[in-house]
Amino acid sequence: MAAKEPLVTTDQDLEYDYEGLPPNFSLAANMAAGAFAGIAEHSVMYPIDLLKTRMQVVNPTPAAVYTGVSNALTTISRVEGVRSLWRGVSSVIVGAGPAHAVYFATYEAVKQGMGGNKGTEHHPLAAATSGACATIASDALMNPFDVVKQRMQVHGSAHASIAQCARSVFRNEGLTAFYVSYPTTLTMTVPFTAFQFMAYESLSRVMNPSKKYDPTTHIVAGGLAGGVAAAATTPLDVIKTLLQTRGTVIDPEIRNAKGLMVAARIIKQRDGWGGFLKGLRPRIITTMPSTAICWSAYEMAKAYFVARNEEAAS
């Protein structure tokens, strides 16, 4: 039997630092690291993400009106059971692996192509551009899973499984229902991700100038970058939630909302400017540890592949 090829092809004379990675770092290794990061991130913080969705719904039923994060958590746990906090988690587990694999593979490929791994100087433009390209590619894959997730998260959802939910959405609303929020998602996630990647790279460089694997740096830099980016893009996240859950309401105006501007007008009319900040706190609470987990898991997996490569080369 032929020996297994290492995930990263090597040149023993080639020197590189951990953060930059060798230019021939394989696509498979990047995708594996990204998939691991995505599943870890979404699984751990899922209950708080469910609270965010519940709090962002426009015109909720009386039983789904919450005064804050702690009230939402205790009410849902008491009335619907603790297990209800995990409704729809299988959708993000199934979708997050492939989507984050594409996400980080695209990020590393674009960053390498733009010279972001060359030399010791800082490359904020390469980091921001890489992040934007990564989110465009991954969101195209993840958006349908996100729609299914939020349909299962809302109060009173009758969907028993992600497959049944997906069939119901497709049968009643067509294929476009899975992508009606995609332009809004990109409007939100492209600047979010560009800012997050640029901030993460900048903070990492300040906190860890040696560019060695350092879990503390990845956790702190990832959490701070994600928290600020989440707060700045919350209004667009509220709009996205309205578009992705429109099929669960009876209100004809919300049910027929077709895009970003229509959804924004509905929110402004119903809840005023404050409506665009609904779910701000749980979004930050979710995003800071999520991005910290995501970056630390990705960097840990990346460090593993580098170490494995060095062992194979020795």
Side-chain angles (χ1 to χ4, degrees):
M1 181 183 292
K4 280 189 176 180
E5 295 183 2
L7 283 172
V8 185
T9 55
T10 63
D11 181 344
Q12 293 186 27
D13 296 325
L14 182 65
E15 294 183 356
Y16 57 90
D17 59 59
Y18 158 72
E19 289 291 337
L21 292 178
N24 59 349
F25 193 71
S26 77
L27 176 65
N30 273 323
M31 295 186 77
F36 173 67
I39 293 172
E41 169 194 354
H42 289 287
S43 301
V44 173
M45 297 308 301
Y46 189 82
I48 307 300
D49 182 69
L50 182 140
L51 301 184
K52 174 191 72 72
T53 296
R54 292 283 187 98
M55 294 175 72
Q56 287 181 339
V57 170
V58 176
N59 195 25
T61 60
V65 176
Y66 312 106
T67 59
V69 177
S70 59
N71 173 254
L73 182 62
T74 54
T75 300
I76 294 171
S77 299
R78 184 182 70 254
V79 177
E80 303 174 46
V82 175
R83 290 183 61 185
S84 65
L85 294 169
W86 298 92
R87 283 182 57 85
V89 67
S90 54
S91 178
V92 295
I93 291 176
V94 171
H100 276 67
V102 171
Y103 186 87
F104 282 105
T106 303
Y107 167 67
E108 293 289 358
V110 175
K111 182 182 174 185
Q112 177 68 29
M114 294 186 66
N117 292 331
K118 293 180 180 178
T120 58
E121 63 272 17
H122 190 26
H123 300 278
L125 179 61
T129 304
S130 301
C133 291
T135 199
I136 291 171
S138 66
D139 281 346
L141 181 59
M142 189 64 189
N143 213 80
F145 292 99
D146 201 47
V147 170
V148 170
K149 176 201 75 173
Q150 290 201 307
R151 293 295 179 95
M152 296 185 71
Q153 285 180 331
V154 295
H155 179 264
S157 174
H159 300 299
S161 67
I162 61 172
Q164 183 271 326
C165 181
R167 286 195 301 269
S168 176
V169 172
F170 180 75
R171 182 174 62 251
N172 297 324
E173 303 171 55
L175 182 63
T176 57
F178 293 105
Y179 284 97
V180 67
S181 63
Y182 184 57
T184 302
T185 298
L186 290 184
T187 303
M188 174 184 69
T189 56
V190 168
F192 173 93
T193 310
F195 178 85
Q196 182 199 161
F197 274 65
M198 184 169 61
Y200 175 77
E201 295 280 354
S202 300
L203 288 167
S204 295
R205 181 168 290 272
V206 172
M207 294 179 64
N208 184 23
S210 66
K211 302 173 74 174
K212 301 295 183 182
Y213 174 62
D214 178 28
T216 301
T217 294
H218 306 316
I219 291 171
V220 174
L224 289 175
V228 175
T233 55
T234 293
L236 289 165
D237 190 54
V238 176
I239 294 172
K240 186 193 77 166
T241 296
L242 183 146
L243 292 171
Q244 292 192 164
T245 60
R246 62 178 189 168
T248 65
V249 299
I250 300 174
D251 189 313
E253 186 179 23
I254 296 176
R255 195 174 184 88
N256 294 317
K258 297 296 185 183
L260 189 155
M261 298 308 295
V262 174
R265 178 176 53 78
I266 293 172
I267 294 168
K268 174 63 168 59
Q269 288 177 345
R270 304 287 182 91
D271 299 318
W273 292 110
F276 292 102
L277 297 179
K278 291 172 71 173
L280 173 64
R281 186 173 297 176
R283 178 165 163 77
I284 294 174
I285 292 172
T286 302
T287 304
M288 286 191 70
S290 289
T291 51
I293 291 167
C294 183
W295 277 111
S296 58
Y298 176 66
E299 300 288 5
M300 181 176 69
K302 202 164 70 168
Y304 165 77
F305 288 127
V306 169
R308 180 174 170 178
N309 176 68
E310 290 172 347
E311 289 178 4
S314 61

